[in-house]
């Protein structure tokens, strides 16, 4: 019979063998306190820009209304229109970050999953 593997113990052993010599080297990796992440200036400036915008400056209500009208006129769900819009916006990004790729994959998954569920009903 095969021995059951304990992934966390294996990871702990690996990290003990890989970690550089530090003051708390005698501690297990799993029992160490987490370190703080470095502050990301570009992220901070992006959040500050969004916080400075007045309410409704991005025309969210108008965009949502337009999506609703398009969906009603073509007799499809609003989600499907939103998925198409998201796909179009994401396809026009020249330098994609990992979050863009994840969002693109999630939109594709939801779009097709929604279509499958509609057909099954």
């Amino acid at each position: 019979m095969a021995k059951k593997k304990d992934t966390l113990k294996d990871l702990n052993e690996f990290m003990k063998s890989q970690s550089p010599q530090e003051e708390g080297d005698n501690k297990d990796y799993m029992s160490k306190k987490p370190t703080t992440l470095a502050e990301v200036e570009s992220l901070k400036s992006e959040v500050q820009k969004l916080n400075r915008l007045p309410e409704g400056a991005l025309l969210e209500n108008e965009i949502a209304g337009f999506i609703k009208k398009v969906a009603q006129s073509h007799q499809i769900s609003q989600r499907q229109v939103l998925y198409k819009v998201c796909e179009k916006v994401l396809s026009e990004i020249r330098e994609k970050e990992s979050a863009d790729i994840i969002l693109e994959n999630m939109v594709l998954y939801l779009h097709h999953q929604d279509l499958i569920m509609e057909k099954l009903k």
Side-chain angles (χ1 to χ4, degrees):
M1 188 149 126
K3 183 179 175 184
K4 186 176 179 182
K5 295 248 181 198
D6 188 353
T7 308
L8 289 176
K9 284 184 182 177
D10 292 344
L11 177 62
N12 190 27
E13 291 299 317
F14 174 77
M15 293 306 292
K16 280 198 295 191
S17 67
Q18 296 295 319
S19 63
Q21 299 297 326
E22 294 178 356
E23 63 206 34
D25 195 30
N26 55 1
K27 287 185 173 181
D28 283 344
Y29 181 77
M30 296 296 286
S31 63
K32 287 184 182 178
K33 290 185 179 180
T35 58
T36 58
L37 297 175
E39 292 185 22
V40 181
E41 291 300 321
S42 63
L43 180 61
K44 286 173 81 177
S45 66
E46 195 76 23
V47 170
Q48 288 173 351
K49 286 178 192 174
L50 285 172
N51 286 338
R52 278 185 260 150
L53 288 173
E55 185 67 33
L58 299 176
L59 304 175
E60 302 96 336
N61 293 334
E62 287 81 2
I63 294 170
F66 180 72
I67 288 174
K68 184 177 180 179
K69 284 181 185 176
V70 170
Q72 287 174 347
S73 68
H74 293 287
Q75 298 172 347
I76 57 176
S77 73
Q78 294 176 28
R79 286 187 310 278
Q80 291 298 322
V81 176
L82 180 61
Y83 297 152
K84 286 288 190 181
V85 169
C86 288
E87 286 176 7
K88 181 66 175 169
V89 169
L90 291 168
S91 70
E92 292 180 0
I93 297 175
R94 292 184 190 266
E95 294 181 22
K96 292 185 180 179
E97 297 177 4
S98 58
D100 299 328
I101 295 168
I102 291 171
L103 181 59
E104 190 171 33
N105 287 331
M106 182 59 69
V107 167
L108 285 171
Y109 169 77
L110 291 172
H111 176 71
H112 293 291
Q113 187 71 16
D114 195 38
L115 289 174
I116 291 171
M117 294 306 287
E118 242 177 65
K119 293 293 181 185
L120 290 175
K121 290 179 181 178

